[in-house]
Every structure is written in structure tokens, then in C-alpha cells.
Amino acid sequence: MEKQIINTQEAPAPIGPYNQAVKAGNFLFVSGQIALHPETNQLVMQDINAETHQVMQNLKHILSAAQMDFSHVVKATIFITDMNNFSQINEVYGKYFSGDFPARETVQVSALPKGVNVEISVIAGK
């Protein structure tokens, strides 16, 4: 199976040995995104809503670089450090989809990179 690396300057550069996304066949595997602003490389953490919006914007730009959008997402994984933030994260996340939602799990973890509160990865298909 052919593998294509997807990277865009409209999303934060990887902070480790990985790519923003890898396209394999008809599927796009997008690495977990945190609320790093791609232009400033600063975290957007005024509140959980702003943080989640930045994560979703990062995902949006990576999907776009692969000529996809949120309608192509078939699976999402959400990692959060505090389940008390779930409803706010869920509300922001839901605004990026219309109609059919992807499969998903949400997992509370003890810590995330750079001390963020939320990280989201997706798998999209076309």
C-alpha cells in the first residue's frame, strides 16, 4: 500500500518524530492535535472552549491539506485530562460536524503534552 505524508504550515509542526498525517490508500490518519497556534507556536488555553476550537482548527487544516474535511472523518479519539470538561469539549467538537457523526471514544488521561487539557486525533476516508 502506498503511503503519502501530509504536512501543512497551517497547522503546528510536529513536536516529535511523527507527521501531521499519513494517507494510506483511501484513509487519512491524523496525529493527535493540541491547541498550538501554527503561526505563533503558542498554546491557546484561555479556556477549554478556546483550546478545543484551536485543536479543531488544526485538524481542519490538516484535513484540508489532504483535500478532505470533517465530513470525511470516520473515527475520532479525544483525550482529556478532566472529565468535568467533557460537555464543553463535546459542544465545541460537535459544531465542526454536520449530519453523520464519526465513531468516537473519549478517554480521561493523567497528562497530555505541554500540559494541555485536550488532544484529538482522527481517521478520515475518501
Side-chain angles (χ1 to χ4, degrees), residues 46-63:
Q46 295 88 337
D47 58 48
I48 195 64
N49 290 332
E51 186 175 351
T52 306
H53 273 295
Q54 185 62 56
V55 170
M56 296 302 289
Q57 285 296 310
N58 293 344
L59 291 168
K60 176 182 170 182
H61 290 302
I62 295 168
L63 288 165

Side-chain angles (χ1 to χ4, degrees), residues 77-83 86 105-109 112 119:
T77 302
I78 302 175
F79 300 98
I80 59 178
T81 57
D82 185 349
M83 200 56 82
F86 175 78
E105 65 264 332
T106 302
V107 181
Q108 180 173 315
V109 296
L112 289 166
E119 179 176 355

Side-chain angles (χ1 to χ4, degrees), residues 62-115:
I62 295 168
L63 288 165
S64 179
Q67 300 177 335
M68 294 186 187
D69 58 35
F70 284 107
S71 71
H72 295 102
V73 174
V74 296
K75 178 78 166 53
T77 302
I78 302 175
F79 300 98
I80 59 178
T81 57
D82 185 349
M83 200 56 82
N84 291 317
N85 289 328
F86 175 78
S87 62
Q88 291 172 282
I89 293 167
N90 198 46
E91 183 177 339
V92 172
Y93 167 92
K95 291 178 182 177
Y96 284 83
F97 296 92
S98 59
D100 297 331
F101 293 102
R104 182 185 87 185
E105 65 264 332
T106 302
V107 181
Q108 180 173 315
V109 296
S110 63
L112 289 166
K114 295 191 173 277

